Amino acid sequence: MTRVFCIGELLIDFVAENQGSNLSKAMNFTKKAGGAPANVACAIAKLGGKSSFIGCVGKDSFGSFLLDVLKNEGVDISMAQRSNIFTTLAFVSIAEDGERDFVFNRGADEQLKYDSSIKTEFKKNILHFGAATALLGGPLEKAYGHYLFDGLCNESFIAFDPNFRSDLWGDDEATFTKKCMPYIEKSHLCKFSLEEALLLSGKDTVEEACAFLHEIGAEIITVTLGKEGTFVSTKTLQKTVPSIAVSAVDTTGAGDAFIGCLLYQISLLPSIEALLNDDQALLKMVEKANKAGAITTTKFGAIVALPSLTQLEA
Ligand code: ATP
């Protein structure tokens, strides 16, 4: 089994209770561990895989809480860093009109320093870049670039999920797109939402978007489509793999559960290269990953809702 190194942010999500008002009216908040790459690391560990988290939290109690959550899920946190700057905090509420009200206090996640001493660990393993905050600048963005290069030198399998958040990028979609391109170019596997695939390609349909993104360099592309399942594209295949029917209550983290489950299955392969030429094996894996995404929607929260292998195979 290969190890999956998930690089990026780990932060506190303060979710307003009594949704239906904006943050100015919200009085009580629930503290939750958040951050897409960290969720993916948890998804892999919960299925029994080997995952390590590479990211930075503050030397405060919130940072300790976050690292404990990951450790309790079985994620290796030995490569996580701690900064004197406070742990990154996000506050979110859904107002009456359904609009998200979001306040983002960026702190320690941005401070991840590149550590060249860990690059030997990457050899023939999997590197997952779940970029949500990573391309916003600072040391983390620089570290991202170095780790991408290390992964390539170490014959790692590279996975990329841009995790576009309009809350973070506003209307600067052009910069976001430009910054994603090197990752798409070098990735064996890209996971996009439909919105991301269309945004990054500038195309109107998922088929055209994937064709364009393959041209950039992505070898396998999965485009998650919520309850419709996942569109899978390689140079020899374009197909939608349906999901299972569930009673969804909260879709937070479904995408992370999906890519986590897919990477977990890839980590079990004796030869990762073989996957790149086996569309049928890939479709079976996506079917299972869809199930992981679907199960995650049946409970509130991201990490607590991630399925174990027993739940997945039930
Ligand atoms: P995120 O919000 O974490 O970025 P995303 O938009 O990439 O996620 P989704 O498309 O919501 O992810 O979900 C990922 C996968 O989970 C889907 O491709 C699908 O297989 C499964 N899934 C999500 N929602 C449902 C649902 N309501 N019913 C069944 N399956 C679902």
Side-chain angles (χ1 to χ4, degrees):
M1 182 192 288
T2 50
R3 179 169 287 278
V4 186
F5 295 88
C6 300
I7 313 171
E9 89 278 10
L10 171 60
L11 50 81
I12 303 273
D13 277 323
F14 278 109
V15 183
E17 289 175 11
N18 307 323
Q19 296 283 330
S21 61
N22 64 21
L23 287 172
S24 70
K25 306 239 174 62
M27 297 298 286
N28 300 307
F29 295 85
T30 304
K31 181 182 74 177
K32 290 191 174 158
N39 289 345
V40 175
C42 290
I44 293 162
K46 206 152 178 182
L47 290 168
K50 291 199 269 185
S51 65
S52 297
F53 174 72
I54 304 175
C56 186
V57 294
K59 285 181 189 157
D60 49 25
S61 301
F62 288 138
S64 303
F65 161 76
L66 290 170
L67 292 179
D68 281 349
V69 170
L70 263 57
K71 201 171 160 194
N72 290 338
E73 293 294 336
V75 176
D76 163 45
I77 53 164
S78 61
M79 294 169 191
Q81 297 174 16
R82 301 198 70 169
S83 159
N84 287 328
I85 295 173
F86 63 89
T87 296
T88 300
L89 307 175
F91 296 82
V92 62
S93 181
I94 309 293
E96 244 171 28
D97 56 5
E99 280 294 303
R100 248 162 79 93
D101 193 8
F102 184 74
V103 171
F104 188 57
N105 287 278
R106 188 148 200 222
D109 84 276
E110 187 182 5
Q111 299 304 319
L112 183 78
K113 306 270 186 308
Y114 170 63
D115 178 359
S116 67
S117 71
I118 60 176
K119 65 181 172 205
T120 50
E121 309 258 347
F122 299 158
K123 187 131 191 89
K124 300 252 181 207
N125 279 315
I126 300 174
L127 254 62
H128 175 61
F129 296 88
T133 67
L135 302 180
L136 288 166
L140 172 60
E141 185 175 354
K142 287 206 181 93
Y144 242 51
H146 289 307
Y147 286 133
L148 178 63
F149 183 72
D150 286 346
L152 296 168
C153 293
N154 281 298
E155 299 161 56
S156 312
F157 182 92
I158 311 281
F160 176 60
D161 178 351
N163 275 306
F164 176 70
R165 301 280 180 263
S166 56
D167 291 326
L168 299 177
W169 287 92
D171 53 14
D172 196 8
E173 294 171 345
T175 305
F176 170 77
T177 300
K178 192 172 159 216
K179 288 186 173 191
C180 285
M181 287 303 148
Y183 295 88
I184 296 171
E185 187 188 333
K186 305 294 183 198
S187 287
H188 298 98
L189 168 67
C190 284
K191 179 251 174 227
F192 303 117
S193 65
L194 181 59
E195 180 200 13
E196 288 164 345
L198 301 182
L199 170 69
L200 292 168
S201 63
K203 304 289 181 192
D204 296 325
T205 66
V206 68
E207 291 84 359
E208 287 170 356
C210 288
F212 176 86
L213 295 162
H214 284 309
E215 286 285 306
I216 303 288
E219 296 195 45
I220 299 169
I221 300 175
T222 57
V223 181
T224 49
L225 306 169
K227 65 176 172 13
E228 305 304 330
T230 303
F231 185 81
V232 184
S233 180
T234 67
K235 283 173 187 149
T236 48
L237 164 96
Q238 287 208 323
K239 190 174 179 187
T240 298
V241 180
S243 189
I244 54 167
V246 288
S247 302
V249 295
D250 179 10
T251 59
T252 315
D256 301 330
F258 169 86
I259 188 69
C261 182
L262 192 53
L263 291 174
Y264 161 72
Q265 295 175 81
I266 293 172
S267 78
L268 300 178
L269 295 174
S271 147
I272 293 178
E273 287 76 25
L275 175 71
L276 302 172
N277 300 312
D278 190 346
D279 287 341
Q280 292 313 312
L282 175 66
L283 290 174
K284 281 209 178 97
M285 289 183 184
V286 169
E287 208 175 295
K288 204 177 232 182
N290 279 348
K291 211 170 151 191
I295 292 170
T296 306
T297 70
T298 61
K299 276 194 206 155
F300 286 97
I303 294 176
V304 288
L306 294 166
S308 64
L309 196 57
T310 319
Q311 280 172 297
L312 191 65
E313 287 177 349

